Amino acid sequence: MGPPGPTEGIVLTLRRGEASLTGIVVNPKGEPLAGSLVEAFPAALTDGGSGSPAATARTAKDGSFALEKVGNPGEPLRIFIHAEGYRLEKSADRSAGDRGVRFVVKPNARVRGKVVVKGTGLPPKQTFDPFALLSIEVNPKNPKSMRIKGPVQTMMPHVDLGADGSFSTVAEPGPADVTIEMNGYATVTIPTIVGEDGVDLGTIELVSTREK
C-alpha cells in the first residue's frame, strides 16, 4: 500500500455556534438548585444590544446544565441565572467552551416592616379602589446595580401585604429609600441600607391628612 495522498487544501473548521458551556447551579450551602433557568448571551449583546439568548437550559435535579451551541470557542458570554427565591445571577467572565462552571446564587434580600395608622395602631383599611391602595416601593440609591442591560427587562418587585399591615418585598442589597403612599395619608420615605439578609423597618405610622 502506498503512502497517503496529499492533504493540501483540506481545512478543518468548527462552525460558529458549536461550542457549548456546562456547569452546575448551587446555593451558598452547596445544595443544587433544580429547575433554574440558565441563559447565555454574547457579552457584546448585553452591553447595549437587544435580542434573544444564544442558548437556554434548565438545571437538572443535581443542579447541572448544558448550554449547547452558544458561540465560537472562547467567545465571551454573559450568563443569567433565574432561580426562584434567589437573586438574579449575572456572570460576565465566561466563555463558550467552558466546562464544569460552578455558579453560586444568593437568596433574595427582603425589606420587611409593618404599616399602621398613627393614633390607632391599626393597619390602614384596604379597598377595591385602585387609587386608595397602599403602595410600597423600594428605590435603590444606586440604580445602576438594579439595571440589567440588553434583552432582560426589570419589573417592580411584588409586595406581600398582610391583613395586620405587615409587608415584605424583594430588594437589592445596598442603600435605598422605601416610599410608602396611600390616599388620605402623608407620604413616608425612609432611607435605609438593605443588608445581605435584608432589613426590618419595624412599625411605620401613617399620619392622616383628612380634615377632622
Side-chain angles (χ1 to χ4, degrees):
M1 181 181 293
T7 58
E8 290 183 0
I10 297 178
V11 179
L12 299 178
T13 60
L14 183 65
R15 294 193 300 272
R16 177 174 178 80
E18 289 198 352
S20 62
L21 184 147
T22 65
I24 184 173
V25 178
V26 299
N27 64 19
K29 295 180 181 180
E31 299 167 336
L33 297 178
S36 302
L37 174 63
V38 184
E39 299 177 307
F41 293 89
L45 178 66
T46 53
D47 282 338
S50 61
S52 301
T56 65
R58 289 279 181 182
T59 55
K61 187 176 180 179
D62 62 355
S64 63
F65 68 89
L67 294 167
E68 305 292 346
K69 298 182 179 181
V70 292
N72 287 326
E75 182 177 346
L77 299 172
R78 183 162 294 172
I79 308 300
F80 291 78
I81 300 176
H82 309 260
E84 186 176 357
Y86 292 82
R87 300 176 210 167
L88 173 66
E89 172 68 17
K90 298 171 286 182
S91 176
D93 58 351
R94 303 303 174 190
S95 302
D98 286 353
R99 314 292 292 179
V101 181
R102 185 181 179 89
F103 293 95
V104 180
V105 295
K106 298 179 180 179
N108 285 328
R110 301 191 72 89
V111 174
R112 300 174 297 276
K114 183 177 182 179
V115 178
V116 300
V117 177
K118 187 174 182 179
T120 70
L122 299 175
K125 293 182 179 180
Q126 296 287 288
T127 71
F128 292 103
D129 181 357
F131 296 100
L133 292 176
L134 180 66
S135 169
I136 301 173
E137 293 185 4
V138 180
N139 303 297
K141 292 184 179 180
N142 181 21
K144 290 184 179 180
S145 66
M146 291 283 288
R147 189 177 300 123
I148 303 171
K149 296 182 179 180
V152 182
Q153 298 179 348
T154 57
M155 297 180 64
M156 184 64 68
H158 172 73
V159 177
D160 296 319
L161 185 63
D164 63 347
S166 61
F167 67 87
S168 174
T169 186
V170 173
E172 285 286 324
D177 286 333
V178 180
T179 301
I180 302 171
E181 295 179 304
M182 187 172 185
N183 190 34
Y185 297 91
T187 298
V188 177
T189 299
I190 304 172
T192 188
I193 296 179
V194 181
E196 290 293 323
D197 297 324
V199 63
D200 192 332
L201 300 177
T203 300
I204 303 162
E205 293 185 320
L206 296 182
V207 178
S208 176
T209 58
R210 296 185 177 90
E211 295 183 358
K212 296 181 180 180

